[in-house]
Every structure is written in structure tokens, then in C-alpha cells.
């Protein structure tokens, strides 16, 4: 653990992702000029970097644009499982879409995993790649029933698997299905190597370059916040939220937060990756990178911006790890913020039917390592005019099945509730009650405001209104961020944008 972080109640004071802390990333400058390229890829996570690499490999002149630091988003805050075992999903997919489409979903993720494995071998990447089985385990009768249905779905689809009575962990699991031949890895050195190869092929990379708008057409023009423009034939949005104004993606994506802790390994951990079938979610795996032996525990999902005690999520995971494994000090803690589509299938393909050269890749749920790679392979094929068997399944313009429609209606009803709730004058703190490194909603000059007192005691007061669509943000004390409960935008403690769909910071009222 970084000694400058300090420690409060057993938790490191500030969240730091193990993946970002344990490996170096190259740094790149900001785009400050106009460019003309074949393809602009927006967002430097696993989907964006892989897409850029594949297109450069195909001979395209490609620029990769990242609003912050590359890998600083969801990819850098993952549990880094490289698996097609995506919780309880295959039985549901068969019921919703039929056996053929469920098999396509598995096959697309299998292809993504195979691509990563081949690149690791081909480029000799040291990234803690290990083949392991992925277990989904049940703790009660209802979960046993669901795991049995998932196992039967695996058999129907021909997915290699085993059904077992329990798992080799000190957890009271009564049944488990193991998807065999899956993997785990360290995504940062893997993607850093792809970036290195991308640059060798003439690829361009710019960080700290926020895309404000895309003027879609043939060609398209990408306008950045600081004035640089990119003219391109094809534009691919692999950012957290799509950058395109068309498509209404903010209404078709649901933001969910989850949490992870890394401990020094308290003993020998049996091989495998483990996920509970019930709630609260518990995800367990080992990290064995360059001699470091760590235990990774994740879970505690909730809708982004809709939890009054996010530090309690970390504390619950810590208690589980200590009671179950005898884990000691927490070395790293971090949170992930994932986007989920109404039917749980990613959006990967043409963003709308109106602009056939605008593409999007997002909505990977919690499974971006395989889904993001599969999306990159699909978009590469679409741009190159190669037939891809998964194009219809992941088409962002697809019609939703009945279950997806119900989910969409429920999500947007919740957005309306959160919008109204945020406008009510409920406040819990006075500004004088804020201690160092604390934030809260307060009343400032008769209006609701977001206040943060930094560790040096300076007070920062901001408009609490999210700059995306006007919902009121809430304070996330676990991560020291302001989170929007409507569409998942996130701002740092002093109002800077950390994740979209917002692109403008919170308005500063007093500093």
C-alpha cells in the first residue's frame, strides 16, 4: 500500500486500483491540432485500445482519444476475469432469445478470450495470465435451483462444464457449476503492449482530450474540448457512455457500482475464480503478479449514486474476507462503474441506422474483458466489410424483447424518481460541520449545493446539479466523488468530470 494513503478504520484512506498501481502506463500529450485520419477511436479502455490496434493492423490510419488517462476508467477498475462465465445469464438468454443466440453470446466471448490468449503468446506479454475454472456457487435452495438451470443451459449450448456439490473454499456452498478453461490476467501490461504495437504501426494516441461533440457524416468531424478537431471516415465510441448525441444512449444504459479489495494472501488459495449466485455478490480470485500474492474480493453492487454509505460497501467486503479467509491488511481498494443494457447484451456496432460510419461499443455489464474484446473484433469486421456472425445479436439498434422493454421502462421511471427526489430540500449537513476531506450537500445562498472541504481545510462549493441533464448529484464518501443517480455521471471531489455522459464539470460557486 502507498504509505501516503493513510488508513482509516482498516481501509486505505483513498481508493487505488491494484492494476494501475502495480504496473506502469505510458503517458501521452493532449491533442492541440487538427488531424485527418481514417478512423477516430474514442475511449482508451480494453474495447478502444483493441479496436485501434486491430484497425491499424488492417492498414488504417487511426487516432485513439482518451478524456483522462488511458485505462483510467472501467478497464483499470476491473476484477480482470477473462471468462465467458457471466453470472446467471445463459438460461435467461435461452428463454429470451433462443438457443442459437445464447450460443452466439458464448461464442463471441470465447473468441474474445482466444484473441487475448493468442496475443499474450505471440507478443510474449508478462501479465499474470493463468487458465482457471470459473465457479458459480449456490448457498441456499433457490440458488441451487438457479445454478442447476444454468448448468442445464451450459449442457444445451455445449459449454465445457462440471456440476459439483461445493467449492474448494471455506464457504458454505451447497452446489456449484464450473465453466472450465477460463482465465484471469493483469489487463494493464497486456493493453500497454497492444498500445506499443499500435504506435509501431503508425497509430496516434492522445490523453486528456475530451470529445465534446461529433459532427456525424461522411466524413465525420470530432470536436474536442480544447479545440483540436479530427476529420475521419469512421468514428468509434468506446467511451463509458457513447459520445454521439443521436441514439439516446443515456436512456438505454443503466449505471451500476461495485467494489473490490486486495489483501496480502492469507494462505494458499485453491485455483479458480469464484462468484456467488445470490446476493450480496461475492467474487473471489487470486493475483500472482511478479511475485506478489494477493487475495482479491469484490461485490456489493448498487445503482450508481443511490447509496448513502459507500464506505460500508468496502467494510462489508472486508468483513467477509477476514471472516472467511483470515485476511489481514487491505493493500488496495477501488470501485468499478459498469453500464448495463435493458436486455443485458452489449451494444457493439453501428450507433444508429442514420449514420452508417459511426460505431459504438459499450454496455458490457461487469464482463468487459471478454465482451470488450469481442466488440472490438466485431467493429473491426464491420469497418472492413467482413461478415461477422455476432453483428445482429449485439446491434445497438436492435429491438428489445419483452423483458428488455420492462427493464427499460423501470430504469427510466427510476430516473424520474431520482430527478424529483434530488430537487427536494432535504439536506443533512451544515457547511461548518464538514471536516477535512469530507463532502456533503448543503444550502448555499438559499440553494442546494455540493460542498467539499479538502485535506488542507479549503472549502469548495459547487452547484449540485449534474451538467448532463440536471439531476442532483450525491456524495460518495467511499470514493470521494460526486455521483449522479440518474445516468451515472461521476465528478471528482472538486467537480471535475470522471465519467460521462456529462462532459462539463460541476459549476464552481465558491472556492
Amino acid at each position: 500500500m502507498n504509505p501516503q494513503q493513510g488508513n482509516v478504520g482498516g481501509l486505505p484512506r483513498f481508493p487505488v486500483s491494484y492494476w494501475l498501481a502495480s504496473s506502469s502506463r505510458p503517458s501521452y500529450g493532449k491533442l492541440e491540432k487538427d488531424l485527418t485520419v481514417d478512423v477516430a477511436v474514442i475511449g482508451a479502455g480494453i474495447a478502444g485500445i483493441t479496436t485501434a490496434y486491430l484497425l491499424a493492423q488492417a492498414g488504417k490510419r487511426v487516432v485513439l482519444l482518451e478524456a483522462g488517462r488511458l485505462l483510467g476508467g472501467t478497464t483499470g477498475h476491473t476484477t480482470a476475469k477473462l471468462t465467458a462465465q457471466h453470472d446467471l445469464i445463459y438460461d435467461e438468454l435461452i428463454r429470451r432469445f433462443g438457443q442459437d443466440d445464447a450460443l452466439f453470446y458464448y461464442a463471441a466471448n470465447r473468441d474474445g478470450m482466444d484473441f487475448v490468449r493468442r496475443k499474450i503468446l505471440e507478443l510474449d506479454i508478462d501479465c499474470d495470465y493463468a487458465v482457471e475454472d470459473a465457479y458459480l456457487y449456490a448457498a441456499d435452495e433457490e440458488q441451487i435451483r438457479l445454478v442447476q438451470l444454468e448448468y442445464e443451459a451450459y449442457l444445451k449450448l455445449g459449454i465445457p462444464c462440471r456440476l459439483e456439490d461445493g467449492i474448494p473454499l471455506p464457504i458454505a456452498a451447497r452446489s456449484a457449476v464450473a465453466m472450465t478453461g477460463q482465465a484471469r490476467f493483469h489487463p494493464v501490461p497486456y493493453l500497454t503492449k497492444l498500445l506499443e504495437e499500435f504506435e509501431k504501426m503508425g497509430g496516434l494516441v492522445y490523453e486528456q482530450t475530451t470529445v465534446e461533440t461529433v459532427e456525424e457524416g461522411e466524413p465525420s468531424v470530432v470536436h474536442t474540448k480544447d479545440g483540436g478537431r479530427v476529420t475521419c471516415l469512421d468514428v468509434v465510441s468506446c467511451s463509458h457512455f457513447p459520445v454521439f448525441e443521436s441514439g439516446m444512449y443515456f436512456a438505454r444504459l443503466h449505471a451500476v457500482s461495485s467494489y473490490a479489495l486486495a489483501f496480502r494472501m492469507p494462505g494458499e488459495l485453491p485455483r479458480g475464480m469464484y462468484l456467488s449466485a445470490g446476493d450480496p455478490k461475492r467474487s473471489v480470485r487470486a493475483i500472482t503478479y511478479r511475485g506478489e500474492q494477493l487475495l482479491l474480493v469484490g461485490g456489493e453492487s448498487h445503482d450508481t449514486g443511490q447509496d448513502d454509505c459507500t464506505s460500508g460497501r468496502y467494510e462489508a467486503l472486508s468483513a467477509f474476507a477476514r471472516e472467511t479467509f483470515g485476511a489481514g491488511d487491505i493493500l488496495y481498494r477501488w470501485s468499478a462503474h459498469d453500464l448495463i443494457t435493458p436486455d443485458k447484451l452489449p451494444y457493439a456496432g453501428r450507433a444508429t441506422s442514420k449514420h452508417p460510419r459511426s460505431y459504438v461499443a459499450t454496455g458490457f455489464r461487469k464482463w468487459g474483458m471478454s465482451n470488450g474484446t469481442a466488440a472490438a473484433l466485431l467493429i473491426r469486421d464491420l469497418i472492413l466489410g467482413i461478415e461477422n456472425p455476432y453483428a445482429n445479436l449485439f446491434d445497438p439498434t436492435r429491438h428489445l424483447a419483452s423483458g428488455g422493454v420492462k427493464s427499460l421502462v423501470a430504469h427510466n421511471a427510476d430516473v424520474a424518481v431520482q430527478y424529483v427526489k434530488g430537487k427536494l430540500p432535504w439536506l443533512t449537513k451544515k457547511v461548518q460541520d464538514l471536516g477535512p476531506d469530507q463532502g456533503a450537500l448543503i444550502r448555499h445562498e438559499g440553494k442546494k449545493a455540493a460542498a467539499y472541504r479538502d485535506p488542507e481545510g479549503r472549502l469548495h462549493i459547487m452547484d449540485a446539479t449534474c451538467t448532463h441533464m440536471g439531476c442532483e448529484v450525491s456524495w460518495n464518501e467511499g470514493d470521494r466523488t460526486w455521483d449522479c443517480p440518474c445516468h451515472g455521471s461521476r465528478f471528482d471531489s472538486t467537480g471535475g468530470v470522471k465519467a460521462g455522459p456529462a462532459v462539463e464539470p460541476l459549476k464552481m460557486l465558491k472556492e
Side-chain angles (χ1 to χ4, degrees):
M1 182 178 68
N2 184 339
Q4 295 180 349
Q5 285 182 254
N7 196 284
V8 177
L11 292 175
R13 182 178 294 276
F14 299 110
V16 175
S17 162
Y18 168 78
W19 313 116
L20 300 180
S22 62
S23 57
S24 60
R25 293 172 285 167
S27 59
Y28 299 91
K30 181 188 298 186
L31 178 64
E32 296 178 331
K33 60 183 180 181
D34 293 349
L35 292 175
T36 299
V37 294
D38 296 324
V39 186
V41 178
I42 302 163
I46 191 167
I49 292 172
T50 308
T51 300
Y53 169 86
L54 288 166
L55 290 169
Q57 191 178 49
K60 299 288 185 179
R61 180 166 168 77
V62 184
V63 64
L64 179 63
L65 305 175
E66 169 55 45
R69 283 280 280 123
L70 63 91
L71 301 175
T74 304
T75 297
H77 295 82
T78 176
T79 54
K81 296 178 180 180
L82 191 61
T83 176
Q85 192 283 300
H86 295 172
D87 204 345
L88 294 165
I89 187 65
Y90 289 100
D91 176 65
E92 180 179 351
L93 291 179
I94 290 172
R95 287 186 284 106
R96 278 193 179 187
F97 302 105
Q99 192 164 315
D100 288 347
D101 280 349
L103 182 57
F104 276 146
Y105 180 83
Y106 167 75
N109 281 277
R110 179 201 60 204
D111 290 353
M113 293 159 51
D114 286 347
F115 174 85
V116 174
R117 177 184 55 81
R118 291 196 308 272
K119 286 299 164 185
I120 290 170
L121 293 173
E122 175 190 327
L123 302 174
D124 191 24
I125 306 173
D126 177 12
C127 62
D128 192 29
Y129 180 83
V131 176
E132 293 188 342
D133 296 342
Y135 292 83
L136 185 65
Y137 66 87
D140 60 32
E141 290 297 330
E142 175 59 17
Q143 292 171 28
I144 290 172
R145 184 183 71 83
L146 295 175
V147 165
Q148 178 67 34
L149 290 172
E150 196 71 358
Y151 171 65
E152 292 170 4
Y154 287 9
L155 295 179
K156 290 176 184 176
L157 300 175
I159 298 174
C161 64
R162 298 188 310 274
L163 186 66
E164 300 189 353
D165 292 335
I167 57 176
L169 293 181
I171 293 174
R174 298 171 57 188
S175 177
V177 59
M179 186 180 289
T180 59
Q182 307 304 288
R184 58 174 171 84
F185 75 139
H186 192 317
V188 176
Y190 165 73
L191 290 166
T192 297
K193 184 63 175 179
L194 287 195
L195 276 171
E196 180 184 319
E197 297 298 312
F198 171 65
E199 289 190 277
K200 287 180 183 178
M201 294 183 286
L204 303 171
V205 185
Y206 294 94
E207 295 181 312
Q208 307 300 332
T209 301
T210 300
V211 172
E212 286 199 320
T213 60
V214 176
E215 190 180 330
E216 296 176 82
E218 296 188 27
S220 291
V221 181
V222 177
H223 298 268
T224 69
K225 187 175 182 180
D226 293 319
R229 296 186 306 173
V230 178
T231 302
C232 55
L233 294 176
D234 297 287
V235 57
V236 185
S237 176
C238 297
S239 54
H240 189 61
F241 260 86
V243 298
F244 305 113
E245 294 181 0
S246 58
M248 298 287 287
Y249 284 97
F250 65 85
R252 299 198 286 131
L253 288 162
H254 175 207
V256 171
S257 299
S258 58
Y259 301 83
L261 301 174
F263 305 81
R264 188 167 286 109
M265 192 77 78
E268 193 67 27
L269 188 72
R271 291 181 66 87
M273 301 172 288
Y274 304 88
L275 180 68
S276 61
D279 291 323
K281 283 295 175 189
R282 294 291 181 262
S283 173
V284 178
R285 58 155 287 198
I287 297 172
T288 55
Y289 183 58
R290 293 184 177 176
E292 194 161 26
Q293 305 284 320
L294 300 181
L295 168 69
L296 193 161
V297 175
E300 289 291 319
S301 296
H302 66 87
D303 291 346
T304 298
Q306 298 186 36
D307 190 290
D308 293 331
C309 185
T310 49
S311 59
R313 303 288 182 166
Y314 289 113
E315 290 164 1
L317 290 176
S318 175
F320 166 79
R322 292 194 168 108
E323 292 166 5
T324 306
F325 302 102
D329 290 341
I330 301 166
L331 304 183
Y332 304 91
R333 69 177 177 92
W334 65 95
S335 63
H337 302 271
D338 298 286
L339 295 178
I340 303 174
T341 67
D343 60 10
K344 299 183 182 179
L345 297 175
Y347 293 141
R350 291 182 175 87
T352 66
S353 57
K354 185 178 179 181
H355 298 288
R357 306 199 76 159
S358 296
Y359 302 85
V360 66
T362 189
F364 304 134
R365 227 163 29 114
K366 298 175 183 296
W367 309 102
M369 300 299 99
S370 58
N371 266 322
T373 306
L377 291 164
L378 168 56
I379 289 172
R380 183 271 314 269
D381 288 350
L382 291 174
I383 289 176
L384 298 181
I386 299 170
E387 186 174 348
N388 187 295
Y390 317 123
N392 290 335
L393 184 65
F394 296 147
D395 184 352
T397 66
R398 64 183 178 266
H399 293 293
L400 294 175
S402 59
V405 172
K406 291 177 181 177
S407 176
L408 180 65
V409 170
H411 166 59
N412 284 290
D414 181 63
V415 168
V417 169
Q418 296 302 323
Y419 181 87
V420 173
K421 181 180 176 182
K423 300 303 179 183
L424 296 175
W426 297 337
L427 302 173
T428 58
K429 283 206 172 187
K430 296 180 180 179
V431 69
Q432 56 266 33
D433 295 333
L434 288 179
D437 195 31
Q438 289 186 346
L441 293 174
I442 64 163
R443 188 161 295 281
H444 174 71
E445 296 180 352
K447 296 181 180 180
K448 187 180 287 188
Y452 172 72
R453 194 180 299 279
D454 65 27
E456 289 72 40
R458 293 187 298 269
L459 184 65
H460 308 263
I461 300 178
M462 298 146 282
D463 191 331
T465 305
C466 177
T467 55
H468 173 229
M469 291 190 70
C471 293
E472 304 298 312
V473 298
S474 62
W475 175 243
N476 176 338
E477 91 285 358
D479 293 338
R480 308 301 198 278
T481 59
W482 298 99
D483 298 349
C484 176
C486 291
H487 302 111
S489 294
R490 305 185 72 226
F491 305 84
D492 64 26
S493 56
T494 56
V497 177
K498 286 181 68 71
V503 296
E504 294 293 334
L506 298 177
K507 180 181 179 183
M508 190 63 66
L509 302 178
K510 181 180 179 181
E511 190 171 17

